[in-house]
Amino acid sequence: MKTVLIRDTDSEFIIGKIVCVGRNYLEHINELGNQLPSEPVIFMKPASSVIKNGETVFIPSFSNDCHYEAELAVLIGTDCKNISEADALSHIAGYGVAIDMTLRDVQDGQKKKGLPWDVAKGFDTACPLSDFVSVASVQNPQELTVQFFLNGEERQNCSTGYMIFSVAKLISYISTIFTLEEGDIILTGTPSGVGKVVPGDQMEAIVTGVGAIKAVVSN
Ligand code: MG
């Protein structure tokens, strides 16, 4: 079983479900030519896809177009269902950084056929995930900066203030579908600037004031 730590504490959480949000930043929707959603686009990654800082993303042999997507990750600390937006943040244990690795060619094929995205999003090593910081160390989750560096060159840089659906709104909405449980993680979507990685690439995603996750790419 995969676990996550809250830095500088004894708190360790067994990772439950990883609920991911697609299309949550307007400029990213535009760069992929997608429609603006009227409610959050939700998909999941299995906990088995998680790797830790410094580990390797292995691109599956059936893809030739693996993309990075840097995202703010939210760790749920207490169970909730049908929670209001006003109460949503009280269920967070901490914040972290994730890279939502995506097999864009596989995903595009699945989209065209109306098929689910599990293969494109859930393969082994598809979720590099940092340690978390405690919820108390983040004043406002909509005032953070998400950055991504490919081989040291900045590719993504955007405030979480540009999310279409805020962290509180996402937790509230997701909790109407799935009971959110201790150890569940929400990936809150990526800003614009996504792109392809190839074997040998070095990736680093940073959320200022939260942390960073580095991973290398291999085939
Ligand atoms: Mg994503």
Side-chain angles (χ1 to χ4, degrees):
M1 268 183 299
K2 304 273 184 169
T3 61
V4 286
L5 286 169
I6 298 200
R7 253 192 341 251
D8 303 324
T9 73
D10 295 330
S11 301
E12 186 172 27
F13 292 76
I14 295 169
I15 300 175
K17 54 188 170 290
I18 304 172
V19 183
C20 307
V21 180
R23 305 177 192 174
N24 202 25
Y25 290 85
L26 186 59
E27 288 183 4
H28 174 61
I29 292 170
N30 291 337
E31 76 180 345
L32 292 187
N34 286 320
Q35 298 288 315
L36 187 67
S38 55
E39 53 191 21
V41 174
I42 301 295
F43 61 92
M44 289 207 258
K45 287 178 186 274
S48 53
S49 67
V50 170
I51 60 171
K52 295 299 173 75
N53 189 48
E55 294 187 345
T56 301
V57 169
F58 292 99
I59 303 172
S61 58
F62 50 83
S63 174
N64 289 308
D65 194 18
C66 183
H67 278 205
Y68 59 83
E69 299 185 354
E71 310 200 2
L72 171 68
V74 175
L75 175 65
I76 298 295
T78 52
D79 296 6
C80 58
K81 178 155 185 73
N82 293 324
I83 198 74
S84 69
E85 254 179 84
D87 292 333
L89 299 185
S90 69
H91 290 272
I92 297 174
Y95 294 96
V97 190
I99 309 176
D100 170 15
M101 300 304 301
T102 303
L103 306 176
R104 195 71 71 201
D105 47 356
V106 174
Q107 186 195 30
D108 286 346
Q110 290 165 334
K111 281 183 186 171
K112 284 195 191 102
K113 294 178 191 163
L115 294 173
W117 299 354
D118 302 45
V119 175
K121 294 283 196 176
F123 63 96
D124 282 354
T125 74
C127 191
L129 186 65
S130 72
D131 288 344
F132 283 67
V133 293
S134 71
V135 65
S137 56
V138 172
Q139 292 269 327
N140 181 346
Q142 307 311 138
E143 290 181 353
L144 300 169
T145 301
V146 177
Q147 291 174 286
F148 182 86
F149 295 86
L150 184 62
N151 301 319
E153 188 178 305
E154 187 178 81
R155 295 296 184 90
Q156 294 185 284
N157 183 328
C158 186
S159 169
T160 55
Y162 287 101
M163 284 183 188
I164 296 168
F165 303 104
S166 68
V167 171
K169 174 84 184 169
L170 291 174
I171 291 173
S172 175
Y173 174 77
I174 292 167
S175 80
T176 67
I177 305 165
F178 313 112
T179 297
L180 284 169
E181 300 174 297
E182 179 183 322
D184 286 349
I185 290 169
I186 299 171
L187 304 193
T188 56
T190 197
S192 62
V194 301
K196 181 176 181 173
V197 293
V198 296
D201 278 346
Q202 312 233 13
M203 305 188 291
E204 183 173 22
I206 297 173
V207 176
T208 48
V210 168
I213 173 78
K214 287 184 182 180
V216 293
V217 180
S218 184
N219 53 6

